[in-house]
Amino acid sequence: MPAARAGAFGPEPPPVTPKRSPLVGAALLAILLLAWSADLTPIAALRLWGFDLASSLRPEAAGNPQVAAVEIDDESLARDGRWPWPRDLLGRVVARLAEQGAAAVVLDILLAEPDRLGERDASLASAMALLPVVSGAAVPASLPLSAERDPIVGRFATRGVPDLARLPHASAILRALPVLEGAAAGVGLVNLYPDLDGATRTVPGAVAVGARLVPGLAIEAVRVAAGAPNLILEMPTRLGAEGIAIAGHLVPTDARGRIWIDSRNPDRIPVVAAHRLLSGETPDAEVAGRVVVLGVSASGIAATLRTASGKGVPSSLFQAMAVDSILSGTVMERPPVMPLVEAGVAVALGLAIVAASPWLSLPLLAALAAGLAAGLAAGAAALALGTGLLADASFPLLTGLVLTGQVAVVRLREQILIRRQQSAILARQDAYMRQVVDASFDAIVTVDAEARILTANAGAERLFGVPLRDLPGRRIDELLTGFWAEAMGDQADQRALGDAARSRQVIAATAVHSQGARIPVEMTIAETEMEQPVFAIVLRDISARIGAEEAARRAGERLHDGVGRITDGFALFGPDRRLVVCNARFVAMLGEAGADAAPGVRYDSLMARYARSAGAPVDAAARTDAWLSERMEAFSTGRPPRIQECLDGRWFRIDERPTAEGGLVGVYSDITELKRHEMEMAEAMHRAEAASLAKSEFLANMSHELRTPLNAVIGFADLMKRELFGPLGNEHYRSYVADIIESGSKLLAMIESILEFARSEQKELTRPAGQSRLDEVVGAVLRDLHPTALEQRVDLQTDLDDGLPALAVDASVLYQILQNLVSNAIKFSKPGTAVRVRTFVDADGGPAMAVKDRGIGIPAELIDRLTQPFWQRQSALVRSHEGVGLGLAIVKSHVDNLKGELVFESRVGEGTTATVHLPATCLAEPV
């Protein structure tokens, strides 16, 4: 045993010498080989998974398939009778295939019993004589070999070592009727054998029945189609079959004579329903020159096979895919020597890992495992892509991973032993560290599980004012006050200390000096790795720091108070683009995004949330990214103040300036009221200009009809009053002339005031060339009256009939009707209520619209007077509203011109509903 060596902290124990024996790895390798030779289910499942992955990497067959499938499906049985079909009907299918030029027909049907409807087998036999046909046979679960039948004509020979032990064996087979078998050009077994996971990947190439070899249906179909006289099973060694030769072409098999086919794409094979073939619906091109597999796919009759890719196919289609794989050369090769090569690779890898295990560290083991997985997978993939070989990389990979895992476990155990040795060294270092602790300015004490002081340094003596020799044995919580010290008495001491140590938090407490002074301290607790629980406690006097923090806090409060009292929004961001301080008005400006306006939030994050909120700036709505980039430029480039309009109708004056240290300070003034007054003034000016324009148009239109004659009367009266052509004579004439001038002037003023109503009454409504939609008119009216509703605090609601047809009515007339009704409803509604606009088809089939409010209501005796021109209700509740009493009169005039009806329903104090019913003739004719 190596001697202990001296170190800085005293004698050190001898280093740990790991025991790295290769025997365990060799034993594991032997166990894996035994499991491989027994072909246990997990190993076989891994192998199949690897084969599926390798097969999926190989390119699919190119060109059109030389195979087709004819299936007797559910619809074929529904049209031509239930299964089994009469043999003459099957004969018609075969004959039809011969007519359309099929190269050969493969019957994936076992015809072992005579026809159920009588002597019709001869009809099928006659049809089978028209072209090469392969008849199906089967290996039954239990059936004695009949002595009455002649053995199958031998068309299978063996070349090489005639050892058939590895091939599938059967004591007997179930064959077709002699008359049918005699008419066939070949006989093949229809049996298909799924693997242990239930998926079918292969078809049998050769099955040993007694002393004879019987081919599988697919390989026999290829032989018949190729016109070859026989098949040759190539068995160069006792390891098993290598392939089946057909006319000089070798079809690869595995050692058990199975053919690994390409079953990835069943859609590659053309499938023809038997009833379509019989009815002549199938073009010749679908079967001409192809090997056709005839089978049953109807529900409840044919079993569905699951391929390696998980797709379900009938057996006839699977046999067709097998024939196509053989003819297209996409059969995967699995030479009999491959299992031995794979086992050899696994043994070589295992021995290499066992031999190198003393020098392999954990990182190297991880890299080795990853390299093995990548290398073996890549090798198997390369073989599949380059040569079509099926190589089992799973067993070598499993061997490598198991052995690397075993070495990794050994390394972990070694590290545990090393850590134990290091713990002993640390224990010796503790003595040295005690000297360092005594020199610390902070108070450092160790306590046991009962919170009694074991050791203390000079800093603890200064903090508590207790001589160093008197501190051991005293409870630490007796020298402290505060929440933690009180909690020590409410629970077990070790639990309280352990919780504090595991939390890794700094605990605030107050140390009690022996002279009565109370000193604020920060305390941290750590649990040391000792045989008995020992806790190290560090206490730091933070009196000076608390005083500085208090001064800073008061300064911060003064700053926040000053910022909060600013009447405008204020925000300050630091050089790191994070918020330092802001006031409530800045938060209010941000709206819903103001919830994020807390110190520390990034400027870009806050502005991004603001740009997506309901009160976002208008210029950010459609260009958020560009708007954010412009805002970020404010940190480096000072910009003049800008006016910002928001989607919620608010306006702000924004003044953002960079600070000297690279931050940003901003002042945000709410100028919504100023903008509102400005817009109201602009609107008033616009209305005045519009009124002036309307007046001008009216005067121009009425100059010849009204004003010209009236001006002539007034003019001539004025001439008479001036006596330009001589005195009138009598003083009464002068008085009469003055009366004429005065009365004419009043009449002219009255004409001007009622002109608009007169024009609405005299306007002729003609059927417009286009069409108008009532929902669009409603939208236009509500958009126009929305500001008024907002001002009156009235909510505008709609209940529109989406199926209402278009109307053959001038949209401007509909607008005037609805605008007057909705405007009246808003005018007389109470604040906080709603005005609802509804469109519908009434009981007479005509379009209708209704406007309902929750206003003051109208007494029943006054409803008939509502549409009278210039009438207004004389009430203190309504006289404060503007208007000359012509709105409803105009509505009534337009409705009458449209042959419609205006109906009012009202209750005093509850509201009014005005409904306009238009005749069905107002509906537009369908285009």
Side-chain angles (χ1 to χ4, degrees):
M1 183 175 179
R5 58 191 178 90
F9 306 104
E12 295 183 2
V16 175
T17 303
K19 298 179 180 180
R20 300 176 177 177
S21 173
L23 295 179
V24 177
L28 281 176
L29 180 59
I31 293 172
L32 289 172
L33 286 174
L34 289 174
W36 173 82
S37 62
D39 200 21
L40 297 181
T41 298
I43 293 179
L46 282 174
R47 180 170 61 251
L48 292 175
W49 176 81
F51 287 170
D52 292 341
L53 183 60
S55 300
S56 66
L57 297 176
R58 194 174 186 191
E60 296 186 4
N64 294 324
Q66 304 177 50
V67 186
V70 175
E71 295 184 353
I72 302 174
D73 55 9
D74 292 325
E75 189 172 355
S76 299
L77 294 181
R79 292 190 179 188
D80 299 313
R82 64 186 178 85
W83 186 258
W85 272 2
R87 300 293 159 76
D88 57 346
L89 187 56
L90 290 174
R92 286 176 53 199
V93 175
V94 175
R96 180 62 182 161
L97 290 172
E99 292 175 5
Q100 292 192 320
V105 175
V106 182
L107 297 178
D108 187 27
I109 304 172
L110 185 61
L111 303 174
E113 297 180 358
D115 185 72
R116 60 184 175 86
L117 297 180
E119 298 297 331
R120 301 188 182 185
D121 297 311
S123 299
L124 176 57
S126 299
M128 293 169 64
L130 298 176
L131 76 169
V133 178
V134 179
S135 175
V139 176
S142 175
L143 181 69
L145 181 63
S146 174
E148 298 178 359
R149 294 289 299 274
D150 295 331
I152 295 177
V153 176
R155 298 189 181 92
F156 223 138
T158 303
R159 182 156 52 202
V161 180
D163 185 0
L164 307 182
R166 297 181 66 86
L167 296 179
H169 281 70
S171 60
I173 60 173
L174 193 61
R175 299 159 58 183
L177 295 174
V179 64
L180 301 179
E181 189 174 291
V187 177
L189 294 176
V190 300
N191 298 78
L192 295 172
Y193 301 99
D195 294 312
L196 58 89
D197 60 352
T200 304
R201 300 173 175 84
T202 61
V203 295
V207 177
V209 181
R212 291 178 177 271
L213 289 178
V214 180
L217 190 64
I219 195 69
E220 180 70 355
V222 175
R223 181 194 70 79
V224 171
N230 54 23
L231 301 169
I232 300 176
L233 181 64
E234 301 287 353
M235 298 187 69
T237 66
R238 292 186 179 277
L239 295 177
E242 187 175 81
I244 299 174
I246 306 175
H249 176 73
L250 183 65
V251 178
T253 68
D254 61 7
R256 298 173 59 187
R258 299 179 300 177
I259 301 173
W260 291 77
I261 71 168
D262 184 1
S263 61
R264 290 173 293 175
N265 186 15
D267 297 333
R268 169 179 163 81
I269 307 299
V271 178
V272 179
H275 70 88
R276 291 183 63 245
L277 183 71
L278 290 173
S279 62
E281 301 176 22
T282 305
D284 294 348
E286 291 195 21
V287 297
R290 291 177 172 170
V291 178
V292 180
V293 180
L294 174 60
V296 183
S297 64
S299 303
I301 299 175
T304 299
L305 302 177
R306 182 169 63 85
T307 65
S309 60
K311 298 179 180 179
V313 298
S315 63
S316 57
L317 181 55
F318 193 87
Q319 294 282 10
M321 289 191 291
V323 176
D324 179 59
S325 297
I326 297 171
L327 294 177
S328 62
T330 57
V331 172
M332 299 296 291
E333 297 185 35
R334 180 69 176 164
V337 73
M338 283 300 294
L340 295 180
V341 173
E342 294 157 359
V345 172
V347 171
L349 284 175
L351 292 176
I353 293 173
V354 170
S357 60
W359 299 277
L360 295 177
S361 62
L362 285 175
L364 285 177
L365 288 169
L368 177 60
L372 285 175
L376 291 173
L383 289 174
L385 286 172
T387 63
L389 285 175
L390 280 177
D392 178 18
S394 63
F395 181 65
L397 178 60
L398 177 64
T399 301
L401 293 180
V402 169
L403 292 177
T404 54
Q406 180 266 332
V407 177
V409 171
V410 173
R411 294 295 173 274
L412 289 174
R413 180 176 176 276
E414 292 174 358
Q415 291 189 2
I416 292 174
L417 293 176
I418 291 173
R419 288 178 181 175
R420 289 178 179 175
Q421 184 185 53
Q422 291 173 346
S423 297
I425 296 174
L426 290 175
R428 287 165 175 78
Q429 291 176 350
D430 181 63
Y432 174 78
M433 292 301 299
R434 287 175 186 168
Q435 301 176 13
V436 177
V437 167
D438 284 338
S440 173
F441 180 80
D442 295 332
I444 302 176
V445 298
T446 59
V447 299
D448 59 13
E450 297 179 356
R452 297 191 178 277
I453 298 176
L454 299 175
T455 61
N457 67 345
E461 182 178 16
R462 291 191 298 270
L463 180 66
F464 298 117
V466 178
L468 196 58
R469 63 180 180 276
D470 296 335
L471 283 175
R474 297 190 61 172
R475 288 178 58 89
I476 186 65
D477 55 319
E478 295 176 355
L479 301 173
L480 300 171
T481 61
F483 175 78
W484 182 83
E486 295 174 357
M488 286 287 293
D490 298 335
Q491 55 183 321
D493 299 329
Q494 183 175 353
R495 178 183 172 187
L497 291 167
D499 291 344
R502 285 187 293 272
S503 68
R504 298 175 179 266
Q505 294 181 349
V506 177
I507 302 172
T510 302
V512 181
H513 195 271
S514 61
Q515 295 182 0
R518 295 181 178 270
I519 305 169
V521 295
E522 284 183 346
M523 180 172 61
T524 57
I525 302 176
E527 186 174 1
T528 61
E529 296 181 2
M530 298 290 185
E531 296 179 358
Q532 299 295 329
V534 176
F535 299 90
I537 302 177
V538 179
L539 301 101
R540 173 167 295 179
D541 185 350
I542 57 172
S543 303
R545 192 183 75 189
I546 288 179
E549 290 176 351
E550 178 63 21
R553 184 188 63 79
R554 288 195 297 268
E557 288 180 352
R558 288 193 294 268
L559 175 62
H560 280 277
D561 182 63
V563 170
R565 294 179 182 274
I566 299 175
T567 57
D568 295 328
F570 176 85
L572 175 63
F573 293 86
D576 57 354
R577 274 53 170 176
R578 295 186 182 276
L579 181 62
V580 177
V581 65
C582 69
N583 63 359
R585 292 186 178 270
F586 175 73
V587 174
M589 182 197 76
L590 297 178
E592 59 190 53
D596 295 342
V601 66
R602 289 187 58 86
Y603 180 82
D604 50 356
S605 300
L606 187 61
M607 291 298 106
R609 173 76 186 279
Y610 179 39
R612 292 189 294 268
S613 65
V618 172
D619 58 344
R623 46 187 295 275
T624 303
D625 293 340
W627 184 82
L628 287 175
S629 298
E630 294 171 0
R631 301 287 69 77
M632 293 301 294
E633 291 178 2
F635 276 89
S636 56
T637 305
R639 294 195 172 196
R642 56 189 173 86
I643 302 300
Q644 175 176 287
E645 180 185 3
C646 300
L647 295 177
D648 56 3
R650 296 183 299 167
W651 292 78
F652 292 92
R653 182 182 183 275
I654 310 297
D655 189 1
E656 294 177 328
R657 304 295 178 92
T659 63
E661 62 177 0
L664 181 74
V665 62
V667 177
Y668 308 87
S669 305
D670 189 342
I671 59 171
T672 304
E673 289 299 324
L674 294 176
K675 275 291 181 179
R676 182 174 292 120
H677 292 318
E678 181 181 326
M679 289 187 289
E680 288 175 356
M681 291 295 293
E683 179 66 19
M685 182 65 71
H686 176 72
R687 290 178 180 175
E689 292 174 353
S692 176
L693 178 61
K695 178 181 178 181
S696 299
E697 291 178 353
F698 165 74
L699 294 176
N701 292 332
M702 297 302 297
S703 60
H704 293 289
E705 289 77 1
L706 294 176
R707 292 195 61 185
T708 300
L710 189 57
N711 284 334
V713 171
I714 296 173
F716 285 124
D718 187 60
L719 289 175
M720 294 173 66
K721 180 180 179 181
R722 296 182 184 182
E723 301 183 25
L724 296 179
F725 301 103
L728 296 179
N730 194 312
E731 188 64 29
H732 290 287
Y733 292 152
R734 295 186 182 90
S735 176
Y736 295 156
V737 169
D739 291 340
I740 292 173
I741 294 174
E742 182 181 357
S743 298
S745 299
K746 291 181 179 180
L747 179 60
L748 181 60
M750 182 178 65
I751 290 173
E752 290 176 350
S753 65
I754 65 173
L755 177 60
E756 183 178 356
F757 174 67
R759 290 180 62 186
S760 69
E761 281 194 325
Q762 295 172 7
K763 182 177 181 182
E764 288 189 18
L765 296 177
T766 59
R767 194 176 187 90
Q771 299 178 355
S772 59
R773 297 199 60 87
L774 196 52
D775 54 348
E776 295 177 357
V777 174
V778 172
V781 170
L782 296 189
R783 283 194 300 272
D784 293 345
L785 294 179
H786 183 66
T788 304
L790 285 178
E791 184 178 353
Q792 299 293 331
R793 290 191 298 153
V794 175
D795 185 21
L796 297 180
Q797 302 175 354
T798 59
D799 182 10
L800 306 181
D801 185 357
D802 295 335
L804 192 65
L807 306 183
V809 180
D810 191 340
S812 63
V813 173
L814 294 175
Y815 179 89
Q816 290 181 21
I817 293 173
L818 193 59
Q819 195 272 348
N820 278 297
L821 293 177
V822 176
S823 178
N824 255 23
I826 295 173
K827 182 188 302 183
F828 294 105
S829 291
K830 301 173 184 177
T833 60
V835 172
R836 178 178 291 272
V837 180
R838 178 179 171 228
T839 62
F840 58 99
V841 178
D842 60 18
D844 296 330
M849 64 187 93
V851 178
K852 182 178 182 180
D853 63 58
R854 295 290 183 181
I856 60 177
I858 306 169
E861 63 272 13
L862 298 180
I863 288 180
D864 292 338
R865 303 180 61 186
L866 291 177
T867 57
Q868 294 179 6
F870 303 106
W871 181 84
Q872 288 186 323
R873 182 179 175 187
Q874 301 300 317
S875 169
L877 294 175
V878 299
R879 286 307 295 156
S880 61
H881 297 287
E882 296 179 358
V884 294
L886 289 177
L888 294 179
I890 293 174
V891 172
K892 176 66 173 174
S893 176
H894 285 317
V895 172
D896 290 343
N897 288 336
L898 293 171
K899 309 301 181 184
E901 181 182 10
L902 177 61
V903 179
F904 290 92
E905 298 177 6
S906 181
R907 290 191 177 185
V908 176
E910 296 184 8
T912 304
T913 301
T915 306
V916 176
H917 296 273
L918 299 179
T921 55
C922 289
L923 296 175
E925 297 180 359
V927 179

